[in-house]
Amino acid sequence: MSFENPSTGALKADHISKAFGGLKVFNDVSFTLQPGGLLGVIGPNGAGKTTMINIISGRLRLSSGEVTLGGTRVDGRPVYENTSRGLVRSFQQTATFHGYTIEDNLLSALRFSKSDLSILERLMPLLDQFGLKANWGRNAEILPYGLQKMLGLTMALAARPKMLLLDEPAAGLEKSERDNIDTYVRFAREEFGCGVLLVEHDMELIKRLCPSIIVLDGGRLIAEGAPAEVLSYPHVINAYLGGADENEEDADAQHS
């Protein structure tokens, strides 16, 4: 799958496969995400979505195939090295430093990514809109879950990503809070020029945001295209209604 305006900064998965022993988590998956592009990834539990993000970010190694960013191979490289290249991921759970204020969490993210304070200034409109600026001096762990989640996502932007890998950013959020994800993704693309790979179960969010999606089921890429079209396919509907027995997050926990 390709997007418009081809660029040497593209994120490309080329026939990637991953197996744990004899268990294939996903097999022969390919896609291309151009800089500034947005690609949704959907599928039932066990489809291999989180494992794929772990592969791309460097947490897990491929069994076959390769992942490149701007023509440079990134699979199998350390997470910190890929982060320095601009390949940054989020987590389904909150990812903040307990015992530290919102300000300290963001400054820590800046130090880790070797960013300067100008990045923090660029993030201020987002911090203000999410209500984080109003809670600047509060420790992260005492914040409501929704604020903790948005803090963790904002910290990912502090690393100045070129490609942002979002693993179910809406998970655990109240329905009234999910518009924050729309705001976040648009801000990342418009203000930072990020490409975004969005793994998400919230189909309404996917349909609102994503011009194109891929569908994984049983480790295979079974459909790709515009959400309205893809989500009408009988085999995609069946994949969701049938579900899957394996839980990919459990597999990640055992093999990461």
Side-chain angles (χ1 to χ4, degrees):
M1 170 176 292
S2 297
F3 289 86
E4 297 178 358
N5 301 322
S7 168
T8 56
L11 175 66
K12 183 176 182 180
D14 189 13
H15 299 286
I16 61 174
S17 301
K18 178 62 180 178
F20 296 119
L23 174 64
K24 286 187 177 180
V25 182
F26 59 84
N27 186 47
D28 197 29
V29 173
S30 297
F31 63 84
T32 300
L33 175 60
Q34 297 292 346
L38 173 56
L39 176 65
V41 183
I42 68 171
N45 286 337
K49 305 182 300 298
T50 291
T51 301
M52 185 172 72
I53 282 187
N54 284 336
I55 291 287
I56 296 170
S57 64
R59 289 190 72 201
L60 293 173
R61 289 184 176 272
L62 276 172
S63 297
S64 61
E66 66 176 28
V67 180
T68 57
L69 177 63
T72 299
R73 191 163 179 177
V74 293
D75 63 274
R77 306 306 305 170
V79 173
Y80 72 86
E81 189 175 303
N82 284 338
T83 299
S84 69
R85 286 196 178 101
L87 192 58
V88 179
R89 68 159 297 170
S90 74
F91 294 87
Q92 292 180 25
Q93 301 80 18
T94 58
T96 60
F97 300 114
H98 287 194
Y100 291 87
T101 65
I102 290 175
E103 180 182 16
D104 289 337
N105 267 271
L106 286 162
L107 290 175
S108 294
L110 293 178
R111 285 192 293 270
F112 177 77
S113 60
K114 299 180 180 178
S115 301
D116 58 43
L117 289 174
S118 65
I119 299 298
L120 193 57
E121 290 299 317
R122 291 173 64 186
L123 290 171
M124 278 301 169
L126 201 63
L127 294 166
D128 191 27
Q129 186 162 350
F130 292 157
L132 292 167
K133 191 175 178 182
N135 291 277
W136 201 238
R138 298 180 69 191
N139 281 9
E141 71 273 15
I142 66 174
L143 297 172
Y145 180 84
L147 282 182
Q148 290 189 46
K149 192 71 176 281
M150 299 319 298
L151 173 57
L153 288 171
T154 307
M155 288 167 63
L157 277 183
R160 298 174 300 173
K162 297 175 182 175
M163 291 290 173
L164 195 54
L165 314 175
L166 300 181
D167 191 4
E168 296 195 35
L173 295 180
E174 300 291 339
K175 189 172 183 179
S176 61
E177 298 174 317
R178 295 191 174 199
D179 285 349
N180 283 340
I181 303 302
D182 300 54
T183 300
Y184 175 83
V185 170
R186 292 190 182 107
F187 186 91
R189 297 179 70 199
E190 293 171 6
E191 299 299 324
F192 282 76
C194 295
V196 178
L197 188 71
L198 175 62
V199 170
E200 186 52 67
H201 278 294
D202 185 334
M203 290 300 104
E204 291 305 312
L205 189 151
I206 285 286
K207 287 187 284 188
R208 285 198 307 269
L209 285 177
C210 298
S212 190
I213 62 174
I214 61 175
V215 186
L216 299 180
D217 182 38
R220 297 178 300 112
L221 196 159
I222 64 169
E224 56 185 284
E229 180 182 6
V230 168
L231 292 171
S232 70
Y233 294 160
H235 64 292
V236 173
I237 296 171
N238 183 64
Y240 272 92
L241 292 178
D245 293 330
E246 294 290 338
N247 185 288
E248 69 199 67
E249 287 77 21
D250 290 344
D252 287 341
Q254 295 171 14
H255 299 284
S256 60

